[in-house]
Amino acid sequence: MWRFSLLASLLLVSVSASAAGARIPDSTCLACHGTPGFSQTIAGKQVSLFVDPALFAKSAHQAFHCTDCHSDIHRIPHPSQLRLPTCASCHGAETNAYQLSVHGRAVAAGNTHAATCEDCHGNVHALLPPSDPVSRVAHANVPKTCGSCHQSNFVMEATGISTQVFAAYQGSVHGRAVAAGSVNAAVCSDCHGAHLILSPRNPQSSIYKFNVPKTCGKCHRTQESDYEQSVHGRALQRGIWSSPGCTDCHRMHSSGKTVRYSLKKPDPQLCYDCHREQQAKASFPSHHPIKEGKMNCSSCHN
């Protein structure tokens, strides 16, 4: 307390110009907030108010001044009760999308474990742009960032979403490729979106059944074109829910590991899951290539 009073007294001299409307220098703010251990008791809880000057100088926000966000501070010492700055003041479109997302709706409903801006992007005074390889939202780091919640039983148990979903992705062809350094393999946000992450039951969602081919097609363009011309693709375009989309054959998060369709390991049972009548009529001798695992349905129905 004595240190805060001393610093406040000294700062009164340094910011006398602020009374005339001049901007309060960042160095003045950091004289207190740049001191390690600087904190305040709020609602009975000790809250850190420390801002690391070195990290802030490297952050995506380094071009801004303290009072650009803390706009209700006009003098030093400032009032103890201040408005909490919001990301929306600069990032309006992203905030609107987030509020409509599964995360934003969960937060609005009182879920204290649902992801907020800082949970994904990092501390607002130290966050880095996606182009920085150290950023929490850099392509290679997205799975780890999403996994900080989605592989935690404590966080996910109330959502009805299994942590096995994230584990499956890690073992998938996409997850393994990203872990090996691929800059092209899909990460969570490539399929689910970044701020506007919607439920798969929402027709606007990128992973809604009828939208999945377009989502996969962002990377797999040739396969999307072939699929759209197929009997399955044309049926899906007509709104036939039972027609298989990409993830019905290739799974979703586990694609490539427990993959159901593979040229290297054909699985006729995959087709029979839907075409049970054809399975009942199918009769192949034991030495037939389809019985030996050398062929599958698509060998003939290409």
Side-chain angles (χ1 to χ4, degrees), residues 212-250:
V212 166
K214 288 294 183 187
T215 297
C216 296
K218 290 190 297 183
C219 294
H220 303 283
R221 291 179 182 140
T222 299
Q223 290 81 359
E224 180 199 8
S225 177
D226 290 344
Y227 171 79
E228 286 183 338
Q229 297 174 54
S230 74
V231 64
H232 292 148
R234 293 197 302 272
L236 197 70
Q237 291 167 33
R238 293 199 302 272
I240 300 176
W241 186 273
S242 60
S243 183
C246 311
T247 53
D248 291 304
C249 296
H250 295 278

PDB file of all heavy atoms in Angstrom, residues 212-250:
ATOM      1  N   VAL A 212     -20.606 -30.111 -45.446  1.00  0.00           N
ATOM      2  CA  VAL A 212     -19.321 -30.787 -45.268  1.00  0.00           C
ATOM      3  C   VAL A 212     -18.527 -30.925 -46.574  1.00  0.00           C
ATOM      4  O   VAL A 212     -17.316 -30.673 -46.585  1.00  0.00           O
ATOM      5  CB  VAL A 212     -19.512 -32.164 -44.593  1.00  0.00           C
ATOM      6  CG1 VAL A 212     -18.259 -33.020 -44.711  1.00  0.00           C
ATOM      7  CG2 VAL A 212     -19.879 -31.975 -43.129  1.00  0.00           C
ATOM      8  N   PRO A 213     -19.151 -31.313 -47.701  1.00  0.00           N
ATOM      9  CA  PRO A 213     -18.358 -31.435 -48.931  1.00  0.00           C
ATOM     10  C   PRO A 213     -17.633 -30.142 -49.311  1.00  0.00           C
ATOM     11  O   PRO A 213     -16.479 -30.177 -49.748  1.00  0.00           O
ATOM     12  CB  PRO A 213     -19.391 -31.828 -49.984  1.00  0.00           C
ATOM     13  CG  PRO A 213     -20.441 -32.567 -49.200  1.00  0.00           C
ATOM     14  CD  PRO A 213     -20.527 -31.828 -47.911  1.00  0.00           C
ATOM     15  N   LYS A 214     -18.293 -28.994 -49.145  1.00  0.00           N
ATOM     16  CA  LYS A 214     -17.654 -27.715 -49.445  1.00  0.00           C
ATOM     17  C   LYS A 214     -16.513 -27.440 -48.469  1.00  0.00           C
ATOM     18  O   LYS A 214     -15.473 -26.890 -48.844  1.00  0.00           O
ATOM     19  CB  LYS A 214     -18.681 -26.581 -49.373  1.00  0.00           C
ATOM     20  CG  LYS A 214     -19.672 -26.562 -50.521  1.00  0.00           C
ATOM     21  CD  LYS A 214     -18.986 -26.246 -51.847  1.00  0.00           C
ATOM     22  CE  LYS A 214     -19.993 -26.153 -52.984  1.00  0.00           C
ATOM     23  NZ  LYS A 214     -19.308 -26.022 -54.304  1.00  0.00           N
ATOM     24  N   THR A 215     -16.705 -27.806 -47.216  1.00  0.00           N
ATOM     25  CA  THR A 215     -15.664 -27.591 -46.212  1.00  0.00           C
ATOM     26  C   THR A 215     -14.441 -28.445 -46.526  1.00  0.00           C
ATOM     27  O   THR A 215     -13.310 -27.949 -46.538  1.00  0.00           O
ATOM     28  CB  THR A 215     -16.197 -27.918 -44.810  1.00  0.00           C
ATOM     29  OG1 THR A 215     -17.263 -27.018 -44.488  1.00  0.00           O
ATOM     30  CG2 THR A 215     -15.118 -27.786 -43.754  1.00  0.00           C
ATOM     31  N   CYS A 216     -14.650 -29.716 -46.804  1.00  0.00           N
ATOM     32  CA  CYS A 216     -13.530 -30.588 -47.167  1.00  0.00           C
ATOM     33  C   CYS A 216     -12.913 -30.145 -48.492  1.00  0.00           C
ATOM     34  O   CYS A 216     -11.697 -30.253 -48.702  1.00  0.00           O
ATOM     35  CB  CYS A 216     -13.988 -32.038 -47.278  1.00  0.00           C
ATOM     36  SG  CYS A 216     -14.590 -32.750 -45.723  1.00  0.00           S
ATOM     37  N   GLY A 217     -13.774 -29.631 -49.377  1.00  0.00           N
ATOM     38  CA  GLY A 217     -13.321 -29.223 -50.699  1.00  0.00           C
ATOM     39  C   GLY A 217     -12.400 -28.025 -50.703  1.00  0.00           C
ATOM     40  O   GLY A 217     -11.760 -27.734 -51.714  1.00  0.00           O
ATOM     41  N   LYS A 218     -12.315 -27.304 -49.575  1.00  0.00           N
ATOM     42  CA  LYS A 218     -11.377 -26.195 -49.506  1.00  0.00           C
ATOM     43  C   LYS A 218      -9.951 -26.683 -49.706  1.00  0.00           C
ATOM     44  O   LYS A 218      -9.107 -25.957 -50.231  1.00  0.00           O
ATOM     45  CB  LYS A 218     -11.496 -25.482 -48.152  1.00  0.00           C
ATOM     46  CG  LYS A 218     -12.786 -24.713 -47.971  1.00  0.00           C
ATOM     47  CD  LYS A 218     -12.739 -23.833 -46.737  1.00  0.00           C
ATOM     48  CE  LYS A 218     -12.598 -24.639 -45.458  1.00  0.00           C
ATOM     49  NZ  LYS A 218     -12.616 -23.775 -44.250  1.00  0.00           N
ATOM     50  N   CYS A 219      -9.695 -27.906 -49.299  1.00  0.00           N
ATOM     51  CA  CYS A 219      -8.370 -28.513 -49.520  1.00  0.00           C
ATOM     52  C   CYS A 219      -8.434 -29.586 -50.606  1.00  0.00           C
ATOM     53  O   CYS A 219      -7.550 -29.665 -51.454  1.00  0.00           O
ATOM     54  CB  CYS A 219      -7.853 -29.134 -48.226  1.00  0.00           C
ATOM     55  SG  CYS A 219      -7.485 -27.953 -46.915  1.00  0.00           S
ATOM     56  N   HIS A 220      -9.480 -30.409 -50.560  1.00  0.00           N
ATOM     57  CA  HIS A 220      -9.599 -31.560 -51.459  1.00  0.00           C
ATOM     58  C   HIS A 220     -10.509 -31.212 -52.641  1.00  0.00           C
ATOM     59  O   HIS A 220     -11.614 -31.743 -52.771  1.00  0.00           O
ATOM     60  CB  HIS A 220     -10.140 -32.760 -50.678  1.00  0.00           C
ATOM     61  CG  HIS A 220      -9.305 -33.124 -49.488  1.00  0.00           C
ATOM     62  ND1 HIS A 220      -8.116 -33.805 -49.591  1.00  0.00           N
ATOM     63  CD2 HIS A 220      -9.500 -32.884 -48.161  1.00  0.00           C
ATOM     64  CE1 HIS A 220      -7.604 -33.991 -48.376  1.00  0.00           C
ATOM     65  NE2 HIS A 220      -8.418 -33.433 -47.494  1.00  0.00           N
ATOM     66  N   ARG A 221     -10.041 -30.338 -53.504  1.00  0.00           N
ATOM     67  CA  ARG A 221     -10.897 -29.808 -54.566  1.00  0.00           C
ATOM     68  C   ARG A 221     -11.252 -30.854 -55.612  1.00  0.00           C
ATOM     69  O   ARG A 221     -12.384 -30.929 -56.076  1.00  0.00           O
ATOM     70  CB  ARG A 221     -10.189 -28.621 -55.229  1.00  0.00           C
ATOM     71  CG  ARG A 221     -10.090 -27.414 -54.293  1.00  0.00           C
ATOM     72  CD  ARG A 221      -9.372 -26.260 -54.927  1.00  0.00           C
ATOM     73  NE  ARG A 221      -9.264 -25.164 -53.979  1.00  0.00           N
ATOM     74  CZ  ARG A 221      -8.184 -24.397 -53.849  1.00  0.00           C
ATOM     75  NH1 ARG A 221      -7.131 -24.602 -54.617  1.00  0.00           N
ATOM     76  NH2 ARG A 221      -8.154 -23.417 -52.968  1.00  0.00           N
ATOM     77  N   THR A 222     -10.281 -31.663 -56.011  1.00  0.00           N
ATOM     78  CA  THR A 222     -10.554 -32.684 -57.025  1.00  0.00           C
ATOM     79  C   THR A 222     -11.565 -33.687 -56.503  1.00  0.00           C
ATOM     80  O   THR A 222     -12.513 -34.066 -57.205  1.00  0.00           O
ATOM     81  CB  THR A 222      -9.254 -33.408 -57.425  1.00  0.00           C
ATOM     82  OG1 THR A 222      -8.343 -32.458 -57.971  1.00  0.00           O
ATOM     83  CG2 THR A 222      -9.537 -34.493 -58.448  1.00  0.00           C
ATOM     84  N   GLN A 223     -11.369 -34.112 -55.256  1.00  0.00           N
ATOM     85  CA  GLN A 223     -12.284 -35.083 -54.654  1.00  0.00           C
ATOM     86  C   GLN A 223     -13.685 -34.491 -54.488  1.00  0.00           C
ATOM     87  O   GLN A 223     -14.685 -35.182 -54.685  1.00  0.00           O
ATOM     88  CB  GLN A 223     -11.736 -35.538 -53.296  1.00  0.00           C
ATOM     89  CG  GLN A 223     -10.496 -36.409 -53.377  1.00  0.00           C
ATOM     90  CD  GLN A 223      -9.222 -35.597 -53.575  1.00  0.00           C
ATOM     91  OE1 GLN A 223      -9.250 -34.371 -53.671  1.00  0.00           O
ATOM     92  NE2 GLN A 223      -8.093 -36.290 -53.655  1.00  0.00           N
ATOM     93  N   GLU A 224     -13.763 -33.208 -54.164  1.00  0.00           N
ATOM     94  CA  GLU A 224     -15.072 -32.568 -54.037  1.00  0.00           C
ATOM     95  C   GLU A 224     -15.787 -32.558 -55.385  1.00  0.00           C
ATOM     96  O   GLU A 224     -16.983 -32.854 -55.470  1.00  0.00           O
ATOM     97  CB  GLU A 224     -14.929 -31.131 -53.528  1.00  0.00           C
ATOM     98  CG  GLU A 224     -16.265 -30.416 -53.390  1.00  0.00           C
ATOM     99  CD  GLU A 224     -16.146 -28.907 -53.350  1.00  0.00           C
ATOM    100  OE1 GLU A 224     -15.040 -28.377 -53.583  1.00  0.00           O
ATOM    101  OE2 GLU A 224     -17.172 -28.253 -53.115  1.00  0.00           O
ATOM    102  N   SER A 225     -15.055 -32.237 -56.428  1.00  0.00           N
ATOM    103  CA  SER A 225     -15.656 -32.189 -57.774  1.00  0.00           C
ATOM    104  C   SER A 225     -16.161 -33.569 -58.179  1.00  0.00           C
ATOM    105  O   SER A 225     -17.271 -33.705 -58.709  1.00  0.00           O
ATOM    106  CB  SER A 225     -14.626 -31.677 -58.786  1.00  0.00           C
ATOM    107  OG  SER A 225     -15.157 -31.681 -60.085  1.00  0.00           O
ATOM    108  N   ASP A 226     -15.347 -34.593 -57.925  1.00  0.00           N
ATOM    109  CA  ASP A 226     -15.758 -35.955 -58.265  1.00  0.00           C
ATOM    110  C   ASP A 226     -16.994 -36.357 -57.464  1.00  0.00           C
ATOM    111  O   ASP A 226     -17.924 -36.969 -57.998  1.00  0.00           O
ATOM    112  CB  ASP A 226     -14.619 -36.933 -57.982  1.00  0.00           C
ATOM    113  CG  ASP A 226     -13.454 -36.775 -58.948  1.00  0.00           C
ATOM    114  OD1 ASP A 226     -13.653 -36.135 -60.006  1.00  0.00           O
ATOM    115  OD2 ASP A 226     -12.345 -37.274 -58.650  1.00  0.00           O
ATOM    116  N   TYR A 227     -16.971 -36.012 -56.177  1.00  0.00           N
ATOM    117  CA  TYR A 227     -18.093 -36.382 -55.304  1.00  0.00           C
ATOM    118  C   TYR A 227     -19.379 -35.706 -55.763  1.00  0.00           C
ATOM    119  O   TYR A 227     -20.444 -36.337 -55.809  1.00  0.00           O
ATOM    120  CB  TYR A 227     -17.781 -36.005 -53.859  1.00  0.00           C
ATOM    121  CG  TYR A 227     -18.973 -36.149 -52.943  1.00  0.00           C
ATOM    122  CD1 TYR A 227     -19.362 -37.396 -52.468  1.00  0.00           C
ATOM    123  CD2 TYR A 227     -19.733 -35.035 -52.577  1.00  0.00           C
ATOM    124  CE1 TYR A 227     -20.471 -37.541 -51.651  1.00  0.00           C
ATOM    125  CE2 TYR A 227     -20.842 -35.167 -51.762  1.00  0.00           C
ATOM    126  CZ  TYR A 227     -21.209 -36.421 -51.305  1.00  0.00           C
ATOM    127  OH  TYR A 227     -22.317 -36.555 -50.513  1.00  0.00           O
ATOM    128  N   GLU A 228     -19.310 -34.431 -56.113  1.00  0.00           N
ATOM    129  CA  GLU A 228     -20.517 -33.699 -56.509  1.00  0.00           C
ATOM    130  C   GLU A 228     -21.178 -34.305 -57.753  1.00  0.00           C
ATOM    131  O   GLU A 228     -22.387 -34.194 -57.934  1.00  0.00           O
ATOM    132  CB  GLU A 228     -20.179 -32.226 -56.755  1.00  0.00           C
ATOM    133  CG  GLU A 228     -19.933 -31.442 -55.469  1.00  0.00           C
ATOM    134  CD  GLU A 228     -19.683 -29.976 -55.742  1.00  0.00           C
ATOM    135  OE1 GLU A 228     -19.284 -29.647 -56.893  1.00  0.00           O
ATOM    136  OE2 GLU A 228     -19.867 -29.164 -54.822  1.00  0.00           O
ATOM    137  N   GLN A 229     -20.378 -34.934 -58.582  1.00  0.00           N
ATOM    138  CA  GLN A 229     -20.913 -35.547 -59.797  1.00  0.00           C
ATOM    139  C   GLN A 229     -21.391 -36.975 -59.566  1.00  0.00           C
ATOM    140  O   GLN A 229     -22.042 -37.564 -60.426  1.00  0.00           O
ATOM    141  CB  GLN A 229     -19.834 -35.549 -60.895  1.00  0.00           C
ATOM    142  CG  GLN A 229     -19.394 -34.150 -61.306  1.00  0.00           C
ATOM    143  CD  GLN A 229     -18.236 -34.175 -62.267  1.00  0.00           C
ATOM    144  OE1 GLN A 229     -18.302 -34.839 -63.307  1.00  0.00           O
ATOM    145  NE2 GLN A 229     -17.164 -33.467 -61.947  1.00  0.00           N
ATOM    146  N   SER A 230     -21.082 -37.519 -58.403  1.00  0.00           N
ATOM    147  CA  SER A 230     -21.453 -38.900 -58.105  1.00  0.00           C
ATOM    148  C   SER A 230     -22.917 -39.008 -57.719  1.00  0.00           C
ATOM    149  O   SER A 230     -23.588 -38.006 -57.437  1.00  0.00           O
ATOM    150  CB  SER A 230     -20.584 -39.438 -56.956  1.00  0.00           C
ATOM    151  OG  SER A 230     -20.995 -38.861 -55.716  1.00  0.00           O
ATOM    152  N   VAL A 231     -23.412 -40.238 -57.689  1.00  0.00           N
ATOM    153  CA  VAL A 231     -24.799 -40.466 -57.289  1.00  0.00           C
ATOM    154  C   VAL A 231     -25.027 -40.011 -55.854  1.00  0.00           C
ATOM    155  O   VAL A 231     -26.082 -39.491 -55.507  1.00  0.00           O
ATOM    156  CB  VAL A 231     -25.177 -41.956 -57.474  1.00  0.00           C
ATOM    157  CG1 VAL A 231     -24.347 -42.860 -56.562  1.00  0.00           C
ATOM    158  CG2 VAL A 231     -26.670 -42.167 -57.213  1.00  0.00           C
ATOM    159  N   HIS A 232     -24.012 -40.214 -55.007  1.00  0.00           N
ATOM    160  CA  HIS A 232     -24.131 -39.772 -53.619  1.00  0.00           C
ATOM    161  C   HIS A 232     -24.161 -38.248 -53.534  1.00  0.00           C
ATOM    162  O   HIS A 232     -24.979 -37.662 -52.827  1.00  0.00           O
ATOM    163  CB  HIS A 232     -22.956 -40.306 -52.791  1.00  0.00           C
ATOM    164  CG  HIS A 232     -22.973 -41.779 -52.597  1.00  0.00           C
ATOM    165  ND1 HIS A 232     -21.825 -42.540 -52.493  1.00  0.00           N
ATOM    166  CD2 HIS A 232     -24.009 -42.661 -52.484  1.00  0.00           C
ATOM    167  CE1 HIS A 232     -22.145 -43.821 -52.326  1.00  0.00           C
ATOM    168  NE2 HIS A 232     -23.461 -43.914 -52.318  1.00  0.00           N
ATOM    169  N   GLY A 233     -23.243 -37.601 -54.236  1.00  0.00           N
ATOM    170  CA  GLY A 233     -23.173 -36.145 -54.196  1.00  0.00           C
ATOM    171  C   GLY A 233     -24.433 -35.485 -54.733  1.00  0.00           C
ATOM    172  O   GLY A 233     -24.938 -34.519 -54.157  1.00  0.00           O
ATOM    173  N   ARG A 234     -24.952 -36.023 -55.831  1.00  0.00           N
ATOM    174  CA  ARG A 234     -26.167 -35.438 -56.410  1.00  0.00           C
ATOM    175  C   ARG A 234     -27.361 -35.641 -55.471  1.00  0.00           C
ATOM    176  O   ARG A 234     -28.224 -34.769 -55.362  1.00  0.00           O
ATOM    177  CB  ARG A 234     -26.445 -36.059 -57.786  1.00  0.00           C
ATOM    178  CG  ARG A 234     -25.401 -35.703 -58.839  1.00  0.00           C
ATOM    179  CD  ARG A 234     -25.921 -35.975 -60.243  1.00  0.00           C
ATOM    180  NE  ARG A 234     -26.312 -37.354 -60.447  1.00  0.00           N
ATOM    181  CZ  ARG A 234     -25.493 -38.318 -60.854  1.00  0.00           C
ATOM    182  NH1 ARG A 234     -24.211 -38.035 -61.092  1.00  0.00           N
ATOM    183  NH2 ARG A 234     -25.924 -39.555 -61.025  1.00  0.00           N
ATOM    184  N   ALA A 235     -27.382 -36.773 -54.798  1.00  0.00           N
ATOM    185  CA  ALA A 235     -28.479 -37.036 -53.853  1.00  0.00           C
ATOM    186  C   ALA A 235     -28.402 -36.072 -52.666  1.00  0.00           C
ATOM    187  O   ALA A 235     -29.416 -35.545 -52.209  1.00  0.00           O
ATOM    188  CB  ALA A 235     -28.423 -38.482 -53.366  1.00  0.00           C
ATOM    189  N   LEU A 236     -27.186 -35.835 -52.185  1.00  0.00           N
ATOM    190  CA  LEU A 236     -27.027 -34.915 -51.059  1.00  0.00           C
ATOM    191  C   LEU A 236     -27.438 -33.503 -51.462  1.00  0.00           C
ATOM    192  O   LEU A 236     -28.073 -32.780 -50.683  1.00  0.00           O
ATOM    193  CB  LEU A 236     -25.578 -34.925 -50.568  1.00  0.00           C
ATOM    194  CG  LEU A 236     -25.357 -34.344 -49.164  1.00  0.00           C
ATOM    195  CD1 LEU A 236     -25.956 -35.270 -48.111  1.00  0.00           C
ATOM    196  CD2 LEU A 236     -23.880 -34.123 -48.879  1.00  0.00           C
ATOM    197  N   GLN A 237     -27.120 -33.122 -52.674  1.00  0.00           N
ATOM    198  CA  GLN A 237     -27.505 -31.795 -53.165  1.00  0.00           C
ATOM    199  C   GLN A 237     -29.022 -31.645 -53.263  1.00  0.00           C
ATOM    200  O   GLN A 237     -29.544 -30.534 -53.175  1.00  0.00           O
ATOM    201  CB  GLN A 237     -26.860 -31.538 -54.532  1.00  0.00           C
ATOM    202  CG  GLN A 237     -25.342 -31.361 -54.487  1.00  0.00           C
ATOM    203  CD  GLN A 237     -24.707 -31.432 -55.859  1.00  0.00           C
ATOM    204  OE1 GLN A 237     -25.304 -31.025 -56.854  1.00  0.00           O
ATOM    205  NE2 GLN A 237     -23.489 -31.958 -55.918  1.00  0.00           N
ATOM    206  N   ARG A 238     -29.710 -32.754 -53.407  1.00  0.00           N
ATOM    207  CA  ARG A 238     -31.184 -32.718 -53.457  1.00  0.00           C
ATOM    208  C   ARG A 238     -31.793 -32.746 -52.050  1.00  0.00           C
ATOM    209  O   ARG A 238     -33.004 -32.735 -51.902  1.00  0.00           O
ATOM    210  CB  ARG A 238     -31.718 -33.901 -54.271  1.00  0.00           C
ATOM    211  CG  ARG A 238     -31.371 -33.855 -55.753  1.00  0.00           C
ATOM    212  CD  ARG A 238     -32.284 -34.771 -56.568  1.00  0.00           C
ATOM    213  NE  ARG A 238     -32.229 -36.147 -56.119  1.00  0.00           N
ATOM    214  CZ  ARG A 238     -31.352 -37.061 -56.557  1.00  0.00           C
ATOM    215  NH1 ARG A 238     -30.430 -36.702 -57.456  1.00  0.00           N
ATOM    216  NH2 ARG A 238     -31.376 -38.290 -56.105  1.00  0.00           N
ATOM    217  N   GLY A 239     -30.920 -32.785 -51.034  1.00  0.00           N
ATOM    218  CA  GLY A 239     -31.412 -32.746 -49.657  1.00  0.00           C
ATOM    219  C   GLY A 239     -31.713 -34.091 -49.054  1.00  0.00           C
ATOM    220  O   GLY A 239     -32.420 -34.170 -48.040  1.00  0.00           O
ATOM    221  N   ILE A 240     -31.193 -35.161 -49.645  1.00  0.00           N
ATOM    222  CA  ILE A 240     -31.431 -36.512 -49.113  1.00  0.00           C
ATOM    223  C   ILE A 240     -30.427 -36.788 -48.000  1.00  0.00           C
ATOM    224  O   ILE A 240     -29.247 -37.013 -48.253  1.00  0.00           O
ATOM    225  CB  ILE A 240     -31.314 -37.572 -50.224  1.00  0.00           C
ATOM    226  CG1 ILE A 240     -32.356 -37.285 -51.311  1.00  0.00           C
ATOM    227  CG2 ILE A 240     -31.490 -38.981 -49.650  1.00  0.00           C
ATOM    228  CD1 ILE A 240     -32.269 -38.219 -52.501  1.00  0.00           C
ATOM    229  N   TRP A 241     -30.912 -36.721 -46.771  1.00  0.00           N
ATOM    230  CA  TRP A 241     -30.054 -36.816 -45.591  1.00  0.00           C
ATOM    231  C   TRP A 241     -29.296 -38.144 -45.531  1.00  0.00           C
ATOM    232  O   TRP A 241     -28.161 -38.204 -45.060  1.00  0.00           O
ATOM    233  CB  TRP A 241     -30.887 -36.621 -44.326  1.00  0.00           C
ATOM    234  CG  TRP A 241     -30.061 -36.569 -43.068  1.00  0.00           C
ATOM    235  CD1 TRP A 241     -29.649 -37.610 -42.305  1.00  0.00           C
ATOM    236  CD2 TRP A 241     -29.529 -35.390 -42.467  1.00  0.00           C
ATOM    237  NE1 TRP A 241     -28.890 -37.164 -41.248  1.00  0.00           N
ATOM    238  CE2 TRP A 241     -28.810 -35.808 -41.325  1.00  0.00           C
ATOM    239  CE3 TRP A 241     -29.602 -34.025 -42.771  1.00  0.00           C
ATOM    240  CZ2 TRP A 241     -28.159 -34.898 -40.483  1.00  0.00           C
ATOM    241  CZ3 TRP A 241     -28.956 -33.126 -41.923  1.00  0.00           C
ATOM    242  CH2 TRP A 241     -28.249 -33.565 -40.800  1.00  0.00           C
ATOM    243  N   SER A 242     -29.928 -39.220 -45.979  1.00  0.00           N
ATOM    244  CA  SER A 242     -29.308 -40.539 -45.858  1.00  0.00           C
ATOM    245  C   SER A 242     -28.158 -40.753 -46.832  1.00  0.00           C
ATOM    246  O   SER A 242     -27.410 -41.725 -46.702  1.00  0.00           O
ATOM    247  CB  SER A 242     -30.363 -41.638 -46.061  1.00  0.00           C
ATOM    248  OG  SER A 242     -30.956 -41.519 -47.348  1.00  0.00           O
ATOM    249  N   SER A 243     -28.000 -39.866 -47.813  1.00  0.00           N
ATOM    250  CA  SER A 243     -26.899 -40.021 -48.753  1.00  0.00           C
ATOM    251  C   SER A 243     -25.582 -39.690 -48.047  1.00  0.00           C
ATOM    252  O   SER A 243     -25.490 -38.695 -47.326  1.00  0.00           O
ATOM    253  CB  SER A 243     -27.082 -39.093 -49.952  1.00  0.00           C
ATOM    254  OG  SER A 243     -26.045 -39.298 -50.885  1.00  0.00           O
ATOM    255  N   PRO A 244     -24.551 -40.513 -48.210  1.00  0.00           N
ATOM    256  CA  PRO A 244     -23.304 -40.285 -47.472  1.00  0.00           C
ATOM    257  C   PRO A 244     -22.535 -39.060 -47.953  1.00  0.00           C
ATOM    258  O   PRO A 244     -22.427 -38.798 -49.148  1.00  0.00           O
ATOM    259  CB  PRO A 244     -22.506 -41.569 -47.734  1.00  0.00           C
ATOM    260  CG  PRO A 244     -23.026 -42.076 -49.034  1.00  0.00           C
ATOM    261  CD  PRO A 244     -24.486 -41.727 -49.053  1.00  0.00           C
ATOM    262  N   GLY A 245     -22.031 -38.325 -47.000  1.00  0.00           N
ATOM    263  CA  GLY A 245     -21.100 -37.234 -47.265  1.00  0.00           C
ATOM    264  C   GLY A 245     -19.691 -37.690 -46.923  1.00  0.00           C
ATOM    265  O   GLY A 245     -19.465 -38.853 -46.569  1.00  0.00           O
ATOM    266  N   CYS A 246     -18.739 -36.780 -46.991  1.00  0.00           N
ATOM    267  CA  CYS A 246     -17.331 -37.136 -46.789  1.00  0.00           C
ATOM    268  C   CYS A 246     -17.094 -37.889 -45.482  1.00  0.00           C
ATOM    269  O   CYS A 246     -16.440 -38.928 -45.442  1.00  0.00           O
ATOM    270  CB  CYS A 246     -16.467 -35.876 -46.806  1.00  0.00           C
ATOM    271  SG  CYS A 246     -16.774 -34.778 -48.201  1.00  0.00           S
ATOM    272  N   THR A 247     -17.639 -37.350 -44.387  1.00  0.00           N
ATOM    273  CA  THR A 247     -17.341 -37.916 -43.075  1.00  0.00           C
ATOM    274  C   THR A 247     -18.089 -39.209 -42.787  1.00  0.00           C
ATOM    275  O   THR A 247     -17.778 -39.895 -41.817  1.00  0.00           O
ATOM    276  CB  THR A 247     -17.649 -36.893 -41.968  1.00  0.00           C
ATOM    277  OG1 THR A 247     -18.994 -36.414 -42.131  1.00  0.00           O
ATOM    278  CG2 THR A 247     -16.696 -35.714 -42.052  1.00  0.00           C
ATOM    279  N   ASP A 248     -19.068 -39.561 -43.604  1.00  0.00           N
ATOM    280  CA  ASP A 248     -19.735 -40.849 -43.422  1.00  0.00           C
ATOM    281  C   ASP A 248     -18.813 -41.996 -43.824  1.00  0.00           C
ATOM    282  O   ASP A 248     -18.886 -43.094 -43.261  1.00  0.00           O
ATOM    283  CB  ASP A 248     -21.025 -40.913 -44.240  1.00  0.00           C
ATOM    284  CG  ASP A 248     -22.084 -39.972 -43.700  1.00  0.00           C
ATOM    285  OD1 ASP A 248     -22.416 -40.087 -42.499  1.00  0.00           O
ATOM    286  OD2 ASP A 248     -22.562 -39.117 -44.457  1.00  0.00           O
ATOM    287  N   CYS A 249     -17.958 -41.739 -44.794  1.00  0.00           N
ATOM    288  CA  CYS A 249     -17.023 -42.776 -45.236  1.00  0.00           C
ATOM    289  C   CYS A 249     -15.633 -42.600 -44.618  1.00  0.00           C
ATOM    290  O   CYS A 249     -14.966 -43.569 -44.290  1.00  0.00           O
ATOM    291  CB  CYS A 249     -16.889 -42.756 -46.762  1.00  0.00           C
ATOM    292  SG  CYS A 249     -18.427 -43.155 -47.623  1.00  0.00           S
ATOM    293  N   HIS A 250     -15.209 -41.362 -44.488  1.00  0.00           N
ATOM    294  CA  HIS A 250     -13.852 -41.092 -44.006  1.00  0.00           C
ATOM    295  C   HIS A 250     -13.791 -40.755 -42.527  1.00  0.00           C
ATOM    296  O   HIS A 250     -12.751 -40.336 -42.041  1.00  0.00           O
ATOM    297  CB  HIS A 250     -13.241 -39.932 -44.799  1.00  0.00           C
ATOM    298  CG  HIS A 250     -13.035 -40.246 -46.242  1.00  0.00           C
ATOM    299  ND1 HIS A 250     -11.945 -40.941 -46.709  1.00  0.00           N
ATOM    300  CD2 HIS A 250     -13.796 -39.967 -47.337  1.00  0.00           C
ATOM    301  CE1 HIS A 250     -12.030 -41.070 -48.026  1.00  0.00           C
ATOM    302  NE2 HIS A 250     -13.137 -40.489 -48.437  1.00  0.00           N
TER     303      HIS A 250
END
